[in-house]
Amino acid sequence: MKGVITYLLLLCCCPLFGQEKIEALPTIDVSKIDTAALQQNEELRRKRSYEPNFGEFDTANASAVQLLNAQEFEYDYYVEEVSEKKTTKVQVLLKDALAVSKYSEFFFIEGSDESDTGSEVTFAASCSIISRDGSTRAIDLQDRGTNGSTVAVELPGEDVGVKYYKTAIHELKVGDILEYSYVVTSVGNPKQVYFSDLQYESIFEDEPVLYKEIKVVFITKEDQFFLRERGMNNVRGFIHSKEGTKEVYTWSAKNLPAKTEERFESNVGNRPWLKFQVWNPLNTPSERWPFGVGDVGNSKRAVVASSVTEAKGLTMSDVKDVMLSTILTREFVEHEVEVLVRSRKRYPNLMRATAMTKALVFHEVFQEYYFSEVAGPDQDYISDYVYVAVMARLLRRFQHEPYIMLYMDQELGKLSQLCFYGEMSWLIRPDQDVKFYLKPFTRNGRPFNALGELQGTKFFEVCPFLNFSVYNYDDVHDLVNRHSAQQASQNMYHSMKSLTLDLSNQNIAIRDSSYYTGKFASSERYTALPRYSYVPAPRVKGGKKKKLIAAATNALRGERYYYFRSLYYEAQWRESYEVVTYDTLTTWRNYDILNREMSLTETLEISDLLAPAGNHFIFSAGLLVGKYNKLSAQERERMFGISTDYPYTIKNEIRFAVPEGYKVENLEAFIFDVQTNAGHMVTKAEEVDGEVIISYDRAYNFTNLPRTDWPEVMKIMDAAYAFTQQKLILKKV
Amino acid sequence: MKNYYSLLAALLLGFSGWAQELPEELSKAIDLSRKFPYESVVATTAQTTYRFDKKEGLTATEEQEEVLISLREDYSFSKFASTNNESEIVEAKYFHGKKLSTQRSWGTETCASNLSSTIFDTDQKICEYELPLEDVSTIKKYTITKKYADVKYLTRAWVLEEHPVEEKVLRFEVPEWLEVQFVELNFEQYQVEKNVTEAESGMRIHEYRFKDLPAAYDEGASPGATYYEPHIALVFKSYTNNGAKETLFASINDQYQWYRELVSQVQVDTEPLKPLVAELTAGKTDDAAKIRAIFYWVQDNIRYIAFERGIMGFRPEAPQTVCAKRFGDCKGMANLTKEMLKLAGYDARLAWIGTNHLSPDYNYHFPSLANDNHMICALKIDGKFQFLDATETWVAYGDCAARIQGRSVMIEDGEDYLIETIKEQAASANRREDKMLIQLVDGQLVGAVKSKSFGEEKRYLMQQYDQIRSENKKEAMLQLLENKSVDISVTEHKVKGLENRDEATSFKYKFTVNEPLLKSGREVFINLNFDRDYEAFFIGEEREQAIDLGYNAEIISELTFEVPPNHQLNHVPEGFSYSNAWMFIQVEYEVVGSTLVYTKHITIEKRIIEPEDFEAWNEAMRGLKNMYNQYIIIKNVV
């Protein structure tokens, strides 16, 4: 009977059946929230909070509906050993066969293991079905006999104490509610617990959610643990209340539609999400940072403050303190590397070299040292923090004052939304006269100027290190917005296509000279190099044979580099056209020079775009700028803001001589003039002295726009699609 | 940098001037790197040796040895080896240093379950052994020894590796007490020397020496590896133990008897099934209705989820268990179908079959567990067998999915067995029929379409539709209908049969063409190829492997274009036709009164396009594409 009531309650809460929105969390009691605490938080909420409100939405046609999605993070510091528990509970109403199929297998973790910090971490799970008749049936996750339906699935690299399982859920039917929960408990020494893991919670799930709740609970004697949290993109933060010895922070939302994919979106940057971290500043004396060179995964996880008071009022400026004080701890690393540099005597004139040259030498030596002495075989990169810290110390030792850049990946939000130490990214430039922003090395990467990547990103620049051992606020300069005024014209792809039409074979010969600037150039360098880098191997110390091997290695690298680069660009063309022949005239050398521009010249023959019509020909010239997907009806609706990685411009210039004995018609169809706040799409077409010239200029001049500007963006997109559909008529005269 | 370019130039010129100074292995590595630009490592020699033992049952060891030369610097070579409940890696070691004399034991970095499919669970584990190759021209050797607890599970010896091999030897050391047959498959394209010698102990040494082997590589859309990769099927017939001859799989019957023994171990209890069968067949008088009711119930209510660990890879789950749990693998579903049909009074049996993922060489020509990878139910009715595969959710009673058509099937027949062949259906069974009317109305092209899909064409649609979430089905259907070579908007549509196995799927819809008319003076240019079937399906020159189309198919399409009043047809393209033994293409335009009737008939009778067919295929597709590009011209004559 109890099951029947539960089921009916759930159904009543579901708009599909009861025509009412769910009003109370069915399984988590929220009635005890301290109303006084709520009021106290009201002002804060008004300032920075928005209730995610998508109104009522239709769940009638949904494949599945999550009636409940609740997560509770409980930190119990009353006990001898600190206990952390994360409970996830989900109830899903399965409304079609696809949903039944999707949820017919349940994956879970079971067992316990010791974490890196010495805590004992235990995993548990449960699963049950609430049927249409209200009966509840627990799924036996221990049913592991020969005929059982649960099997252990061993995953690579996992420790023996923890096993991964999957079970097939039997007798699952349309109309059932699947309820499952995961519990992860961590018990450890409180002195080793400074911070919880960073939690990033997307607000939306694969299915619509009627009620979602995230709750953080502390049980502590002392006022020493805090929640640092931030709601992103119009999501309000947590509401604080007190329940006896418990500090309770709750976030909840109702009627969340399923997450959808939209064009011009970033993963999280323009979507509602939450981030939070439990933090104990008293337990984090800066002199005891547990970081080392090899400690890549943990090196950026904390915020430093000297007292509870400061901790509560931590501001952006404290981040600078973090950086300087933690850099000091890098001395032993720097020492190791410096010894290596000096002992090799490979650079006799190094002291007289410029800061840039020194930086490149240090980069190379450090890279070699790191991957031979520190990194494991599977590790192909270094922590950006460790890299910057070591490089800064080395440059200081060689009488240069490096600048350190501090920024946040656009995927994580804006710099002003920085919340945790671990969200920061680091770069360094050798000194004030050098505009080369060294990016941390990868295993085979060569020094790379990240300036292009920084464009459009706000960052701090910290300089100079006048007195490295004594921190002084006056030495820190906040250069936010330095590079934020990025223009679409600075990130450009410009293709100039010179065509020769072969009407008898219906082929088109193309000589395409393309030119990349800004972000286009930097990203092209990476994406065009899928397998091999053009990185000369480190200089080799050793006998003749060793040197010969190194020389051969370098030469083969170069050969493969050219080979795969050509294949890559040929493949790009083949994605859109039937390519008869392809060749590249590019030497590729400009790919390897760390400049901000790049050019490429290709010659090819394609056979797709000319079609006969009696004695005439139809030329699908619009497709020469590349195919463009038409916006679907679903895509015309939009839930979230509009994002680009950076403002950009795409230009094309297409030229061809009108074949003898023919005239060109329908040029006017290629003329577009769309100009909006979001950008423009301006094209021209004309015939001059027997030569057709079609110019194409499409630009998006924003990085982020509100959802309401979507019609402005769509005007450009619609024009871009329409252009690709246009055809010329080559009429026999 | 300057130094670098001089070295590069020297290398590109073949090290002229100092080539003689290059160590032999470095010179070799450079040559191989240029020969195999995609490869990071090449085996200069490789040998896999099989030995047999009868101390603890009939067991086998497989010792693989390779000498590798690195074509890259700082390359981590990974050797993958699979194990399961019946096999284990007993030793792994590698050798380095001068003359490869320094030996190291080789621990696995990782060993994990095969998670390639979440609904199919086996006891197979993939173990990865990593071997660092520090420099270009570094040479190392490894050996891995794998033991099979029962030779029954050692069904094949593969030849190719994941990298090129200059010379490879497959060596079988067959004791005189063991009778084994080697079935050589797909050897035609390879240089191989065979040699059999006899040792003093009476042991026969069978050696296959291969030269210049390419890396095993799936080019995509290829049939299963048994179609094209060289390998040897191993048939262990018998062995002598303590003077007595023990029969293994000497014949298909031996294989059947082993299967039969496994099936007999299943504890069948049909009592729980009786009410269900009674309910499903109640009120039905003809056989087809009853069979359909049972077959469709299993299709609809038993989800395919396989747990095939150890012997469960061969022994079916009890039918009452499958029914209660509502999931099972192919064997469990076949067994449930069989028992339910038997309760309804029919002669239903289990049947073992290899799907067309296996080459036709595996069609019970020799006894081997490799012959089958699937189980279905064979129903004898009116003296003939019908084959019911409940794992194929969208197959109607009377039909068979393409993957089991043309395959031999081993059917239980008491103490004996029967081998039957499932009929391969003609392409017409998997056809699409389209009728389209195109008109020019108020300066805009509009269309009305009736389309029907049958067989695999229909099942493909049903499967795709079923995988779309309910809330997205409407949009997805519009996208499907609007998927034309011109930009159209569907204005109204009706769909029938997407949820009914027994009838063709039919679409009726109307659309408007969004693209503006292409005009020149009084002439209008129109391309009537709204559906460009097989367009751009050209096979590249570099392709070596056959292409598996999935099923044979037929497309019959008729488009009627109504020439508007006051217009005349100024240009009608020529038709196109192509035919050979397995492909027929005919495209024609015909003026009928004031209409232009455009018909297209494409029949591809082959499922697998072999490399020798590529030229004919491309020639046909080229002609078809040229046809698709053609425009008609109408002219306003007023």
Side-chain angles (χ1 to χ4, degrees), chain A residues 96 104-105 147 555 557 665, chain B residues 11 73 118 303 325 470 520:
Chain A
D96 66 11
S104 62
E105 287 174 290
N147 295 324
R557 277 177 170 176
E665 295 184 1
Chain B
L11 275 164
E73 71 288 357
T118 64
R303 277 169 293 122
K325 286 184 172 181
S470 298
S520 172

Side-chain angles (χ1 to χ4, degrees), chain A residues 194-195 224-226 279-285 303 305-308 311:
Chain A
Y194 312 126
F195 311 98
Q224 62 181 352
F225 284 85
F226 301 91
W279 166 50
N280 178 0
L282 289 182
N283 258 354
T284 55
V303 176
S306 58
S307 70
V308 174

Side-chain angles (χ1 to χ4, degrees), chain B residues 538-600:
Chain B
F538 294 103
I539 301 171
E541 288 175 6
E542 69 286 354
R543 177 143 190 140
E544 293 179 353
Q545 290 167 3
I547 291 180
D548 189 345
L549 298 175
Y551 52 88
N552 52 11
E554 183 174 37
I555 296 163
I556 303 169
S557 149
E558 181 184 292
L559 181 148
T560 302
F561 174 66
E562 283 187 359
V563 180
N566 305 321
H567 284 70
Q568 69 179 31
L569 279 164
N570 244 19
H571 171 70
V572 176
E574 301 259 319
F576 168 73
S577 65
Y578 183 94
S579 69
N580 60 23
W582 50 272
M583 179 163 52
F584 172 80
I585 298 174
Q586 187 166 54
V587 187
E588 288 180 330
Y589 289 90
E590 186 183 1
V591 179
V592 180
S594 62
T595 65
L596 176 65
V597 178
Y598 171 46
T599 55
K600 179 172 68 183

Side-chain angles (χ1 to χ4, degrees), chain A residues 514-718:
Chain A
S514 45
Y515 182 66
Y516 302 75
T517 66
K519 282 270 199 175
F520 263 120
S522 57
S523 65
E524 192 68 12
R525 281 193 195 94
Y526 274 105
T527 56
L529 192 56
R531 290 183 66 152
Y532 300 104
S533 59
Y534 185 33
V535 186
R539 290 173 186 83
V540 176
K541 186 181 173 185
K544 185 179 174 185
K545 182 178 175 184
K546 198 81 176 165
K547 286 180 177 168
L548 280 172
I549 290 173
T553 302
N554 277 342
L556 290 174
R557 277 177 170 176
E559 286 184 11
R560 286 196 294 274
Y561 178 86
Y562 299 148
Y563 179 75
F564 286 109
R565 274 281 160 92
S566 293
L567 285 186
Y568 170 81
Y569 282 107
E570 184 176 350
Q572 298 291 303
W573 284 97
R574 287 190 184 280
E575 279 185 14
S576 302
Y577 312 99
E578 191 189 344
V579 177
V580 180
T581 61
Y582 176 87
D583 196 8
T584 173
L585 305 177
T586 295
T587 62
W588 308 110
R589 289 182 189 177
N590 61 349
Y591 278 50
D592 310 303
I593 298 168
L594 302 169
N595 60 18
R596 294 171 58 188
E597 296 174 352
M598 196 189 87
S599 62
L600 171 70
T601 304
E602 301 155 285
T603 59
L604 67 154
E605 206 174 350
I606 61 174
S607 67
D608 300 68
L609 305 183
L610 280 172
N615 293 326
H616 321 298
F617 286 89
I618 308 299
F619 179 16
S620 300
L623 287 172
L624 277 169
V625 299
K627 289 181 178 171
Y628 197 92
N629 289 335
K630 185 183 181 184
L631 278 160
S632 70
Q634 270 184 341
E635 287 171 329
R636 290 187 171 277
E637 304 296 323
R638 193 171 185 93
M639 281 173 63
F640 305 116
I642 311 150
S643 290
T644 58
D645 289 340
Y646 44 86
Y648 63 90
T649 300
I650 292 176
K651 286 188 176 184
N652 272 268
E653 185 178 282
I654 299 163
R655 289 171 176 263
F656 64 92
V658 179
E660 202 170 321
Y662 290 84
K663 66 175 181 177
V664 171
E665 295 184 1
N666 208 33
L667 277 169
E668 64 282 3
F670 287 78
I671 299 171
F672 289 79
D673 188 356
V674 176
Q675 307 208 33
T676 77
N677 292 335
H680 63 257
M681 161 84 186
V682 178
T683 63
K684 294 174 184 169
E686 57 183 344
E687 183 181 342
V688 181
D689 298 333
E691 185 182 44
V692 170
I693 305 167
I694 300 173
S695 61
Y696 177 100
D697 181 350
R698 174 162 56 96
Y700 297 102
N701 58 16
F702 63 93
T703 48
N704 286 291
L705 283 177
R707 180 173 66 99
T708 48
D709 281 347
W710 185 227
E712 300 297 297
V713 181
M714 283 197 295
K715 284 178 191 169
I716 301 169
M717 298 171 78
D718 286 339

Side-chain angles (χ1 to χ4, degrees), chain B residues 340-493:
Chain B
M340 289 176 72
L341 286 169
K342 280 176 71 178
L343 284 174
Y346 297 99
D347 178 2
R349 310 175 188 194
L350 295 180
W352 292 260
I353 190 170
T355 64
N356 64 18
H357 180 71
L358 296 172
S359 87
D361 294 319
Y362 290 90
N363 245 343
Y364 299 103
H365 303 311
F366 49 84
S368 170
L369 295 182
N371 275 318
D372 42 64
N373 57 3
H374 192 36
M375 185 183 273
I376 59 176
C377 174
L379 172 70
K380 194 169 190 182
I381 191 159
D382 299 330
K384 290 181 180 175
F385 280 105
Q386 298 264 15
F387 298 99
L388 308 178
D389 181 357
T391 66
E392 292 285 351
T393 310
W394 300 277
V395 167
Y397 169 56
D399 281 350
C400 282
R403 68 180 183 138
I404 59 171
Q405 289 177 26
R407 304 294 302 190
S408 293
V409 59
M410 184 167 71
I411 305 166
E412 61 177 344
D413 192 28
E415 292 184 358
D416 207 350
Y417 67 95
L418 301 167
I419 297 281
E420 296 257 336
T421 300
I422 297 180
K423 189 183 170 192
E424 195 160 13
Q425 291 182 306
S428 58
N430 305 320
R431 72 188 180 282
R432 196 188 77 222
E433 298 173 350
D434 295 337
K435 285 208 168 186
M436 189 182 293
L437 175 68
I438 300 292
Q439 297 167 300
L440 188 56
V441 178
D442 298 332
Q444 189 174 28
L445 288 173
V446 297
V449 182
K450 289 180 184 175
S451 177
K452 278 188 174 182
S453 296
F454 302 83
E456 293 290 334
E457 283 280 326
K458 167 197 164 67
R459 283 196 282 280
Y460 176 76
L461 284 171
M462 290 179 81
Q463 184 181 4
Q464 297 298 309
Y465 192 69
D466 191 67
Q467 294 303 307
I468 298 167
R469 287 156 66 138
S470 298
E471 59 266 43
N472 298 328
K473 277 186 159 59
K474 189 176 170 187
E475 174 83 8
M477 179 54 67
L478 281 177
Q479 285 181 5
L480 171 74
L481 301 178
E482 291 177 353
N483 183 23
K484 304 282 183 197
S485 61
V486 293
D487 183 4
I488 67 164
S489 292
V490 169
T491 51
E492 55 182 283
H493 69 276

Side-chain angles (χ1 to χ4, degrees), chain B residues 57-181:
Chain B
L58 184 54
T59 60
T61 55
E62 177 189 81
E63 182 184 294
Q64 188 176 12
E65 175 187 301
E66 281 198 285
V67 177
L68 305 167
I69 182 167
S70 178
L71 314 185
R72 302 279 179 272
E73 71 288 357
D74 199 18
Y75 178 68
S76 180
F77 169 78
S78 286
K79 172 65 186 173
F80 294 95
S82 72
T83 66
N84 56 25
N85 287 0
E86 302 295 338
S87 63
E88 61 175 327
I89 306 294
V90 291
E91 189 177 52
K93 54 193 178 186
Y94 70 91
F95 304 82
H96 62 107
K98 286 183 178 175
K99 300 180 182 177
L100 299 174
S101 55
T102 309
Q103 179 182 321
R104 292 274 186 278
S105 66
W106 200 9
T108 49
E109 288 294 324
T110 55
C111 222
S113 300
N114 184 354
L115 291 176
S116 56
S117 166
T118 64
I119 60 168
F120 190 82
D121 178 80
T122 74
D123 49 19
Q124 187 187 39
K125 284 184 184 174
I126 309 293
C127 298
E128 181 182 4
Y129 296 84
E130 289 188 5
L131 184 61
L133 299 172
E134 292 81 6
D135 292 312
V136 171
S137 78
T138 296
I139 295 177
K140 288 186 181 175
K141 182 173 90 170
Y142 76 84
T143 61
I144 288 183
T145 306
K146 181 175 173 181
K147 184 172 181 181
Y148 291 84
D150 185 338
V151 294
K152 194 189 294 112
Y153 301 103
L154 174 58
T155 55
R156 299 186 188 101
W158 293 96
V159 175
L160 301 186
E161 298 293 335
E162 290 183 351
H163 44 265
V165 180
E166 292 193 305
E167 181 173 287
K168 178 165 185 175
V169 175
L170 282 187
R171 178 183 166 97
F172 301 89
E173 298 179 2
V174 183
E176 61 174 343
W177 44 262
L178 178 63
E179 186 187 1
V180 58
Q181 178 190 352

